[in-house]
Amino acid sequence: MIGASVERLDVLIVGAGLSGIGAGHYVQAECPWASYAIFEARDAIGGTWDLFRYPGVRSDSDMFTLGYSFRPWDSAQAIADGSWILQYIKDTAAAEGIDGHIRFRHRIVAADWSTDDACWHVTAERTDTREIVELTAGFLFSCSGYYRYDHGYTPDFPGTERFRGTIVHPQAWPEDLDYAGKRVVVIGSGATAVTLVPALADKAGHVTMLQRSPSYIVSVPGKDPVADLLRRTLPRGKSDTAVRWFKALLTQGVYQLSRRRPELVKRLLKAGQRRQLPKGYDVDTHFTPTYGPWDQRLCAVPDGDLFKAISAGTASIVTDRITTFTETGVLLESGAELEADIVVTATGLELLFLGGIELSVDGDPVDVSTKLTYKGMMLEDVPNLAIAVGYTNASWTLKCDLTCQYVSRLLNHMHRTGLRQCTPVNHDTALERQPLLGLTSGYVQRSVHKFPKQGSRFPWQVHQSYLRDYRALKRSSIHDDAMVFSNTVPAEEPVAAAAS
Ligand SMILES: Cc1cc2nc3c(=O)[nH]c(=O)nc-3n(C[C@H](O)[C@H](O)[C@H](O)COP(=O)(O)OP(=O)(O)OC[C@H]3O[C@@H](n4cnc5c(N)ncnc54)[C@H](O)[C@@H]3O)c2cc1C
């Protein structure tokens, strides 16, 4: 039972990043009856956009869809610097007073759903004092992102202890790192590497992108001409919606074309690369992956900045494997050696589901890897828990916005009816369980076994499609065969809840 002194919230949001601030907006705008707080492990708003400080850090999807639908991105710049995105999140939080609901330096470490009490018993740890804080919450909304904050992923490269230069991971970029005039090797070929290389090339002596295998890289306009035209010709409210839909549908169109006509997309990508690289450049070796477009995330470079740096000779790409670090650089399997003053290991993130929170239901630990996801936002047999997870093939916020609106509908329904519990339950015995994420990228494959599963049919399938989710989350009823509403307010409890 709940002790008298334990704080009770209607909604507890985990994380004050892009999603957590969005969730705060929807809870206070759509469910004004609900008390809520955002628990944030760090001492800053912004999550990803506060943590990552490497040179050139930016979005790689457009801000018209990465921004919130309720606060449209109002710059013409479609691809934005990390510092602008951080400011946008902070401004949103301040404008709506969401920042006043944040409890900084509080990491949620465990949550146990109590059916008797119809609430989560939550344990938080203060990250500054290690003090344990207990509280309860009617609904838990995890906006904790998808990766570890304390360190990124670095493979075990032999010989690093011999290297006399500096080794840096982009997730922990030293503020005072001086790379002017230096020889820099960036290991990796993903979004971070292709962002870093042209940004470092501005000041470094030379930057080499050392990749084991290439990624698909496409140039996108930093300012979108169609979005610009829509913004100039339509009235403000209409243009925001039109631009958002245009960008969402365009991204999805490119994704669908890549899945259905991979050979055509490969040819188009290659032709674009050839146009922007010096004549005779070895596109086949350095820009042609062995997998199909969108088997892994497509990397976008604004206004071809990577191709420009290669053409200018300030950056180059080497496709090879590392044998060992040496005192002065890295020795490759081909026998070549790359001399370096600084090596940047842009080797990725370490994925983490649910911010590492230990979940249990009535004292029984929940092994999330055995659970199905419901509509890509809740977990099978776990009551009153939603998770903000975005798309891997489009802007994160497109999905999180839909999730937040759906959660508001669930909360309002429970509040109106006095039913305090909503639990997705699978009755379909023929349903097949499949991995949650279809991407073949190393960082996904390393961790996907720890993630929940998706089912072979609605509502357990994860679509990675804004259009389908728009129907499933915005247009459809919150009542279906899987969702069980239960746990009425006991008769003796005078219900503030049922009042509205
Ligand atoms: C370098 C980089 C560039 C990216 N670019 C794009 C892009 O262009 N487009 C796109 O769609 N996506 C992009 N992403 C993905 C990006 O992470 C999302 O777009 C989005 O910022 C995620 O927001 P979030 O709030 O869900 O998670 P995060 O930004 O990760 O924030 C999560 C917050 O939760 C806190 N937290 C976690 N666990 C706990 C806990 N147990 N208790 C309390 N607090 C906790 C964290 O401290 C953090 O503040 C990028 C990611 C990276 C790393």
Side-chain angles (χ1 to χ4, degrees), residues 14-20 39-42 44 46-49 52 54 57-61 66 106-109 143-147 149 192 297 349 354-357 388 391 394-397:
V14 186
L18 187 61
S19 313
F39 276 59
E40 168 54 58
R42 304 175 71 235
T48 298
W49 303 105
F52 280 85
Y54 59 77
V57 60
R58 55 162 172 80
S59 66
D60 58 2
S61 62
L66 188 59
H106 282 76
R107 179 191 309 286
I108 304 298
V109 290
C143 299
S144 54
Y146 60 98
Y147 62 87
Y149 268 67
T192 303
R297 260 187 98 115
L349 305 163
L354 215 64
I357 302 170
Y391 295 118
S395 280
W396 187 263
T397 315

Side-chain angles (χ1 to χ4, degrees), residues 251-269:
T251 314
Q252 193 160 343
V254 172
Y255 177 77
Q256 287 303 337
L257 187 67
S258 303
R259 307 312 291 163
R260 288 175 194 175
R261 304 280 307 279
E263 293 308 320
L264 171 68
V265 173
K266 277 187 205 175
R267 277 203 304 279
L268 291 173
L269 288 171

Side-chain angles (χ1 to χ4, degrees), residues 137-321:
F139 197 95
L140 198 58
F141 194 175
S142 173
C143 299
S144 54
Y146 60 98
Y147 62 87
R148 290 183 72 120
Y149 268 67
D150 50 352
H151 60 81
Y153 172 72
T154 313
D156 220 357
F157 294 119
T160 46
E161 70 291 343
R162 284 156 59 193
F163 181 55
R164 287 199 297 263
T166 309
I167 300 176
V168 178
H169 193 286
Q171 194 165 327
W173 194 268
E175 219 176 299
D176 56 353
L177 183 70
D178 179 14
Y179 57 91
K182 302 268 171 68
R183 296 162 303 174
V184 184
V185 169
V186 177
I187 303 173
S189 61
T192 303
V194 304
T195 303
L196 264 166
V197 169
L200 294 173
D202 278 348
K203 279 204 280 170
H206 186 82
V207 184
T208 307
M209 182 165 122
L210 171 59
Q211 57 181 13
R212 196 170 50 177
S213 54
S215 305
Y216 285 106
I217 299 177
V218 62
S219 176
V220 295
K223 285 186 185 166
D224 189 294
V226 180
D228 226 23
L229 180 71
L230 289 170
R231 283 153 56 90
R232 275 189 282 114
T233 49
L234 293 175
R236 180 70 209 262
K238 286 207 171 71
S239 72
D240 290 333
T241 312
V243 171
R244 196 172 162 83
W245 272 103
F246 163 68
K247 294 302 289 186
L249 294 178
L250 181 69
T251 314
Q252 193 160 343
V254 172
Y255 177 77
Q256 287 303 337
L257 187 67
S258 303
R259 307 312 291 163
R260 288 175 194 175
R261 304 280 307 279
E263 293 308 320
L264 171 68
V265 173
K266 277 187 205 175
R267 277 203 304 279
L268 291 173
L269 288 171
K270 203 178 260 190
Q273 290 158 351
R274 288 224 157 94
R275 260 198 315 277
Q276 296 175 79
L277 285 162
K279 211 163 184 285
Y281 189 87
D282 189 355
V283 170
D284 288 340
T285 301
H286 301 308
F287 286 99
T288 311
T290 47
Y291 55 84
W294 275 116
D295 286 347
Q296 300 187 12
R297 260 187 98 115
L298 204 73
C299 293
V301 292
D303 302 316
D305 61 1
L306 176 70
F307 304 124
K308 283 180 188 155
I310 293 171
S311 304
T314 52
S316 50
I317 300 186
V318 169
T319 305
D320 206 330
R321 284 168 180 266

Side-chain angles (χ1 to χ4, degrees), residues 30 55 63 88 95 102 134 139 150 156-157 168 173 195 214 225 247 252 271 304 309 316 369 379 411 443-444 455 476:
E30 306 291 329
M63 286 308 299
Y88 167 79
I102 303 174
E134 308 275 359
F139 197 95
D150 50 352
D156 220 357
F157 294 119
V168 178
W173 194 268
T195 303
K247 294 302 289 186
Q252 193 160 343
S316 50
S369 71
L379 290 181
L411 290 170
Y443 73 100
V444 172
S476 73

